[in-house]
Amino acid sequence: MNLTTLNKYDLALHDVPLCAVCNKPVERVESMYDIAYGGKRFRVYCHGDMEEAMLDDTIIEDSNSVRFGQAFVDKLPQPQLENK
């Protein structure tokens, strides 16, 4: 993926989450209001995987601002503890 100046500006403007695995903007972001849960559901897609996050109405109402973070952080290799 080659980013032009316009694309970099758009990323900053719209705050697209970055994939922790490939360190690029995610391929697709979906958001929808979930009436049964009472909050906003976000789904991000990248390299064939999907990750989902929920923000309930209380968090949205009480927060000054909400921003995307990194997606797929749990897919990164985790440090292992050694048994001695």
Side-chain angles (χ1 to χ4, degrees):
M1 175 186 241
N2 217 355
L3 294 178
T4 64
T5 305
L6 180 61
N7 287 341
K8 289 178 185 175
Y9 174 76
D10 287 342
L11 289 176
L13 181 64
H14 298 294
D15 198 24
V16 175
L18 294 177
C19 176
V21 175
C22 60
N23 204 28
K24 295 180 182 176
V26 295
E27 295 169 1
R28 188 171 84 213
V29 177
E30 295 177 351
S31 67
M32 64 211 79
Y33 188 77
D34 188 340
I35 297 171
Y37 180 75
K40 188 95 167 179
R41 179 185 308 266
F42 294 92
R43 289 182 183 157
V44 293
Y45 297 85
C46 195
H47 48 77
D49 285 335
M50 185 269 293
E51 188 171 73
E52 187 173 81
M54 297 286 292
L55 286 177
D56 64 7
D57 287 339
T58 308
I59 293 174
I60 295 171
E61 290 172 3
D62 292 345
S63 299
N64 186 21
S65 67
V66 177
R67 297 187 64 163
F68 284 114
Q70 279 192 313
F72 304 105
V73 173
D74 59 332
K75 303 278 187 195
L76 294 175
Q78 301 296 318
Q80 301 297 314
L81 297 175
E82 295 181 19
N83 290 331
K84 291 187 177 185

